[in-house]
Amino acid sequence: MHTSEPPTVLGLIRSAGLAVDGVHGNTPGPSVETAWRAMAGFTVEPGATFPLAADRRGVHDLWLAHARRSGVIAGDGTFLVTAVALRSADTGWIRARLTDTADVARLVDDQQRIEFIARSASGDRICGITAEEYDYWLITLPLPPAQ
């Protein structure tokens, strides 16, 4: 019988090989909740898709190319990130840094689906992956300024 508690967002981010530099929280914004709402918008179109059942090799490189091109990742490899995990909305954004072992395909929810959002430090851009009906969507969007 499986009795362990689901991982916290910090544990999940570390298990993806990302270095955790600290907790940024939800202010200054935009908040984690605002980013998830933006990703779920009716007019959102993916920058790339791949089947849910596809081999996950290459997902990290695909996301990394989009995230760098959109300015989500700083020159030193840092960015803010959240994932679907225990207490992630309460924790807010985590300051993370790319490492040689990083693989965002390991940022999975309790159904083993890749679900995360990376945000630029300035808060104006996001780039994440979400599971839709049959495919993963890689989405890059501008965010409105924090209110």
Side-chain angles (χ1 to χ4, degrees):
M1 180 165 82
H2 188 281
T3 60
S4 66
E5 185 175 286
T8 65
V9 69
L10 287 168
L12 183 59
I13 290 167
R14 286 183 180 115
S15 74
L18 296 165
V20 172
D21 287 347
V23 176
H24 178 81
N26 280 307
T27 56
S31 70
V32 164
E33 183 179 340
T34 298
W36 281 116
R37 278 196 313 261
M39 292 262 294
F42 286 119
T43 61
V44 170
E45 293 290 331
T49 64
F50 49 98
L52 289 177
D55 186 333
R56 293 182 179 180
R57 283 183 296 198
V59 169
H60 180 79
D61 291 336
L62 176 67
W63 169 80
L64 190 58
H66 282 258
R68 282 189 168 142
R69 189 169 43 246
S70 67
V72 167
I73 299 174
D76 63 357
T78 59
F79 56 97
L80 302 176
V81 65
T82 188
V84 177
L86 188 63
R87 296 185 287 280
S88 61
D90 295 336
T91 303
W93 298 103
I94 308 300
R95 282 188 306 275
R97 188 172 15 87
L98 293 170
T99 68
D100 292 340
T101 61
D103 185 355
V104 297
R106 295 187 299 221
L107 292 172
V108 296
D109 64 14
D110 60 353
Q111 296 178 13
Q112 297 305 300
R113 292 182 170 191
I114 306 166
E115 294 271 359
F116 75 96
I117 303 174
R119 190 190 102 181
S120 62
S122 64
D124 64 339
R125 304 284 305 164
I126 57 174
C127 182
I129 296 178
T130 185
E132 295 302 322
E133 192 171 352
Y134 300 107
D135 296 308
Y136 286 110
W137 285 20
L138 188 147
I139 299 170
T140 303
L141 295 170
L143 285 181
Q147 302 297 322

